[in-house]
C-alpha cells in the first residue's frame, strides 16, 4: 500500500493515497462550514479505486468517494473500467463503507452489473458533490495565459494541446500541488481541462481545484449538467470568453447543487 495521507477537521477525517486526491480532500474540507464537521466520527476515503488496506478497519461512519470515470455520458466504457484490480477495490469499498459517493452519474451501470443493485439503493449516491456550499469570489488573473495541470504523456492530450491556437497555455510541472499549484491557478485567466480519452465526462477534482482559487474553466465537453458557454468555456469555441461571467455561473451551479455539505446532510445522523 502507498503512503497514506490524512487530514482531520472536527469529527471528519479524510484519507487518500495519492497527492492529487489529498489535494481534493484538502479543498473539500476547507469548503465545509464548521457545523458540517461536527457529529459522529466519520472517515472519508478519497479515491477508492486505490488500496486502503487496514485503514478500512477504522471505527465510526465510513464514506467512500469513487473518483474514476468508468463510463462517459454516451455509455461508452472508459479506461478505468478495463482495469479489473481497480474495479475490485471499488467493490470492496462498497462492502466496507456505510455510504458511497460516486462522482459520475454515468457509473451507475457498473454497480448494476456487478452488484445487481437498483440505481436508487440508499447506500449509493451519484454526482460531483464535492464543492463548497458558500460561493467563492472570482480572482482577477495577473497573466493572460490559461493553465493545464495533469499528466501530458498521452498522445491524445499532447495532440489537443498542440492544436490550441486561441490561448497561450502554461503547463504545470509534474509534482506541483497545494499552495504552489494554488498560486499558479490564481495567476492565470482559466484552468484548461482536457480529457484523457474521447468522451463526454467531468473531471470534478480538477474543476474543484480551479473553483476554490476563483478561476473559471475552459474544457472539452463536460456532463450535460454543466452547460457549455455558461458554466465553462468550450474549448475550440469562437464565442467570446468572459472569465468572470463563466466563473459566476459555475459558482451558482456547484454551490446550490453539488456541495459536500449538502451531501453530508443527506446522510442523516451518520450512525455507524
Amino acid at each position: 500500500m502507498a503512503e497514506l495521507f490524512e487530514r482531520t477537521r472536527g469529527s471528519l477525517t479524510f484519507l487518500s493515497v495519492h497527492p492529487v486526491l489529498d489535494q481534493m480532500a484538502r479543498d473539500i474540507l476547507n469548503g465545509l462550514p464548521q457545523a458540517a464537521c461536527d457529529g459522529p466520527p466519520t472517515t472519508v476515503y478519497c479515491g477508492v479505486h486505490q488500496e486502503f488496506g487496514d485503514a478500512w478497519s477504522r471505527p465510526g461512519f465510513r464514506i467512500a468517494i469513487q473518483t474514476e470515470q468508468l463510463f462517459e455520458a454516451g455509455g461508452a466504457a472508459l479506461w478505468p473500467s478495463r482495469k479489473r484490480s481497480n474495479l475490485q477495490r471499488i467493490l470492496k469499498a462498497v462492502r466496507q463503507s456505510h455510504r458511497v459517493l460516486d462522482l459520475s452519474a454515468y457509473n451507475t451501470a457498473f454497480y448494476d452489473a456487478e452488484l445487481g443493485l437498483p440505481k436508487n439503493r440508499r447506500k449509493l449516491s451519484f454526482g460531483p458533490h464535492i464543492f463548497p456550499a458558500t460561493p467563492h469570489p472570482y480572482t482577477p488573473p495577473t497573466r493572460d495565459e490559461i493553465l493545464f495541470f495533469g499528466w501530458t504523456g498521452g498522445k491524445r492530450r499532447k495532440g489537443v494541446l498542440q492544436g490550441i491556437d486561441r490561448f497561450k497555455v502554461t503547463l504545470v510541472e509534474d509534482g506541483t500541488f497545494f499552495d504552489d499549484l494554488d498560486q499558479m491557478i490564481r495567476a492565470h485567466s482559466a484552468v484548461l481541462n482536457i480529457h484523457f480519452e474521447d468522451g463526454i465526462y467531468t473531471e470534478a477534482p480538477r474543476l474543484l481545484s480551479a473553483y476554490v482559487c476563483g478561476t473559471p474553466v475552459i474544457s472539452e465537453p463536460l456532463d450535460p449538467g454543466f452547460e457549455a458557454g455558461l458554466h465553462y468555456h468550450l474549448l475550440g469555441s469562437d464565442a467570446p470568453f468572459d472569465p468572470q461571467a463563466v466563473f459566476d455561473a459555475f459558482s451558482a451551479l456547484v454551490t446550490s447543487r453539488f456541495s459536500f455539505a449538502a451531501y453530508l446532510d443527506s446522510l442523516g445522523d451518520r450512525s455507524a
Side-chain angles (χ1 to χ4, degrees):
M1 180 179 146
E3 178 183 359
L4 187 67
F5 299 93
E6 182 170 341
R7 294 178 180 270
T8 298
R9 183 179 166 200
S11 66
L12 297 178
T13 296
F14 279 63
L15 302 180
S16 58
V17 293
H18 193 282
V20 169
L21 294 166
D22 185 34
Q23 174 139 346
M24 183 185 79
R26 181 203 65 165
D27 292 341
I28 295 174
L29 274 173
N30 287 344
L32 288 174
Q34 185 55 47
C37 302
D38 297 334
T42 300
T43 303
V44 182
Y45 300 79
C46 297
V48 293
H49 63 289
Q50 298 181 328
E51 180 57 59
F52 281 88
D54 293 342
W56 281 117
S57 65
R58 295 199 176 194
F61 197 82
R62 295 181 296 278
I63 299 172
I65 299 183
Q66 203 298 102
T67 58
E68 293 294 273
Q69 299 285 342
L70 306 178
F71 296 90
E72 56 91 45
L78 297 173
W79 76 100
S81 69
R82 298 190 284 272
K83 191 169 183 179
R84 190 63 197 175
S85 60
N86 285 355
L87 301 183
Q88 289 173 339
R89 292 181 189 123
I90 295 171
L91 294 175
K92 178 180 179 180
V94 175
R95 295 191 299 268
Q96 296 288 342
S97 61
H98 296 94
R99 295 288 188 275
V100 178
L101 172 60
D102 191 301
L103 300 189
S104 176
Y106 300 103
N107 288 342
T108 54
F110 163 72
Y111 300 94
D112 290 344
E114 294 287 346
L115 303 174
L117 299 176
K119 294 180 182 179
N120 62 352
R121 173 71 181 262
R122 184 169 177 262
K123 191 172 190 176
L124 301 171
S125 297
F126 297 91
H129 301 284
I130 57 174
F131 292 90
T134 302
H136 279 232
Y138 170 71
T139 301
T142 57
R143 301 177 61 174
D144 291 334
E145 295 93 341
I146 64 176
L147 187 74
F148 179 79
F149 56 92
W151 191 60
T152 56
K155 291 183 179 179
R156 186 185 184 282
R157 278 184 174 165
K158 284 183 178 179
V160 172
L161 286 166
Q162 291 171 355
I164 297 174
D165 54 14
R166 180 176 176 183
F167 304 98
K168 184 177 180 181
V169 181
T170 299
L171 300 180
V172 176
E173 184 178 349
D174 288 346
T176 304
F177 300 107
F178 312 117
D179 291 345
D180 291 338
L181 180 58
D182 292 348
Q183 291 176 13
M184 295 190 70
I185 293 173
R186 292 190 182 100
H188 288 74
S189 61
V191 163
L192 176 62
N193 186 63
I194 302 173
H195 301 320
F196 178 76
E197 189 172 350
D198 289 335
I200 298 174
Y201 51 97
T202 299
E203 293 87 343
R206 181 178 289 116
L207 272 57
L208 175 63
S209 292
Y211 178 68
V212 299
C213 291
T215 304
V217 171
I218 296 174
S219 180
E220 295 183 294
L222 302 177
D223 290 345
F226 295 91
E227 184 178 341
L230 178 63
H231 304 119
Y232 66 100
H233 182 80
L234 182 64
L235 183 62
S237 170
D238 293 328
F241 174 44
D242 183 336
Q244 182 163 3
V246 169
F247 177 83
D248 289 345
F250 182 90
S251 177
L253 174 70
V254 297
T255 55
S256 63
R257 289 186 53 192
F258 298 127
S259 79
F260 193 74
Y263 170 72
L264 289 178
D265 285 345
S266 75
L267 302 181
D269 63 5
R270 281 185 263 155
S271 57

